[in-house]
Amino acid sequence: MADETHFGEQTVPLADKQGMVDDVFRSVARRYDLMNDMMSAGIHRAWKNAMVGAVNPPPKGRPGRLEKMSERPFAVLDVAGGTGDIAFKIAAAGGPGTRVTVCDINADMLAVGRERAYEHGLDNVGFEEGNAEDLPYADRSFDCLTIAFGIRNVPRIERALGEFYRVLKIGGRLLCLEFSSVDVPGFDKLYDLYSFQVIPRVGQAVTGDRDAYQYLVESIRKFPKPDAFKRMIEAAGFRRVSVTPMTGGIVALHSGWRL
Ligand SMILES: C[S@@+](CC[C@H](N)C(=O)[O-])C[C@H]1O[C@@H](n2cnc3c(N)ncnc32)[C@H](O)[C@@H]1O
């Protein structure tokens, strides 16, 4: 039915999904970063670094092309940026002209992010509450938009992709990192075993919320295959869309340009 969607393996009314997703991240916010390291044995850092490499912010000590032309900062929007992992990496890689805005729907995830930014003394990263489906920014505001492990949680993915296109400047780039489909014989079985048998148990032990991590593994399986997601990005208007699978397809980095 048109007004139903998935919440992990469950079929739920479209209008209910966001609230259920919000409950998941409210519950795990304080332990979210620790769990990422434990579940992926730290590999999520390499996946995120690959995305930040693609963002390629103007480096320290050298004004970027855009800054030379117009004195404007290199503006990055990190949607569903949660506790700020991606934003901190981009800010660290970029020069003083790089500004990163984290936009997330969940106040608890943002609160952890703000504390981390304060601890690191970062003043070029901002945290704002907002919904990916209805971004609180003007048309053509950003040079780059990143979203890591966020898009599969958004109930209306097409609507969010339309918003990403709207807020990017002409020549701006979308980079989307998301869990994908393991397609390596043997490894897929191992990955399934680890996902369904180990992750929910570790989630229970570390965060006290098994269901949140059951949702995580189920939502990964429900997310569109890389080629289907590539077509969704193209349908939103993006050009030169490409997909780069990593670690046997556990994750994929999709890239597209607003031209
Ligand atoms: C798995 S976390 C990813 C956090 C961060 N990007 C990272 O890679 O560590 C997913 C995030 O998506 C956020 N989220 C879910 N639905 C959203 C929506 N509709 N708009 C904005 N953020 C959303 C959640 O609050 C959560 O912080």
Side-chain angles (χ1 to χ4, degrees):
M1 269 171 69
D3 56 355
E4 289 186 335
T5 189
H6 298 291
F7 177 76
E9 291 292 343
Q10 301 172 47
T11 301
V12 299
L14 190 56
D16 291 358
K17 174 164 173 169
Q18 189 68 63
M20 298 168 88
V21 168
D22 294 349
D23 288 344
V24 166
F25 289 103
R26 194 173 305 121
S27 160
V28 304
R30 291 273 147 203
R31 293 275 163 134
Y32 174 77
D33 295 298
L34 173 65
M35 261 308 280
N36 277 351
D37 275 330
M38 290 184 70
M39 281 184 312
S40 73
I43 297 171
H44 74 108
R45 293 165 189 258
W47 298 329
K48 288 173 174 173
N49 286 341
M51 179 158 87
V52 173
V55 173
N56 194 21
K60 289 187 173 66
R62 259 193 296 141
R65 186 172 52 85
L66 284 169
E67 288 169 273
K68 273 192 229 148
M69 277 164 32
S70 63
E71 302 291 318
R72 279 179 304 159
F74 182 76
V76 182
L77 180 65
D78 185 37
V79 177
T83 58
D85 238 16
I86 299 293
F88 299 149
K89 287 178 188 293
I90 295 170
T98 300
R99 295 276 174 279
V100 192
T101 305
V102 175
C103 176
D104 197 287
I105 203 164
N106 195 304
D108 297 87
M109 293 289 279
L110 289 169
V112 176
R114 282 194 193 99
E115 285 167 22
R116 292 175 76 197
Y118 180 74
E119 280 160 20
H120 292 116
L122 287 171
D123 58 5
N124 58 344
V125 179
F127 291 83
E128 293 171 2
E129 213 171 307
N131 188 339
E133 293 180 4
D134 186 17
L135 290 172
Y137 306 104
D139 296 358
R140 293 184 224 139
S141 303
F142 296 95
D143 298 290
C144 186
L145 188 149
T146 52
I147 177 164
F149 307 115
I151 195 72
R152 74 173 190 287
N153 299 296
V154 174
R156 298 168 190 84
I157 293 176
E158 286 91 349
R159 197 178 286 185
L161 291 171
E163 281 292 89
F164 300 169
Y165 189 83
R166 181 183 68 74
V167 302
L168 274 170
K169 296 176 189 172
I170 310 293
R173 188 177 191 184
L174 165 69
L175 288 160
C176 178
L177 185 66
E178 189 50 89
F179 289 107
S180 193
S181 307
V182 171
D183 203 8
V184 180
F187 185 47
D188 53 357
K189 301 267 177 311
L190 205 65
Y191 180 59
D192 274 353
L193 198 72
Y194 178 70
S195 301
F196 288 100
Q197 301 304 323
V198 179
I199 288 181
R201 288 190 172 92
V202 177
Q204 168 66 39
V206 176
T207 69
D209 189 341
R210 184 192 175 104
D211 291 348
Y213 286 88
Q214 187 71 30
Y215 161 71
L216 167 83
V217 294
E218 290 176 1
S219 64
I220 291 169
R221 300 312 191 280
K222 290 289 177 197
F223 190 68
K225 298 268 182 281
D227 279 346
F229 187 50
K230 180 173 180 265
R231 285 193 293 276
M232 290 169 75
I233 295 173
E234 286 165 345
F238 288 96
R239 297 286 170 264
R240 289 166 54 197
V241 179
S242 61
V243 49
T244 309
M246 293 183 236
T247 320
I250 292 181
V251 301
L253 178 64
H254 282 80
S255 162
W257 297 80
R258 178 171 184 178
L259 298 177

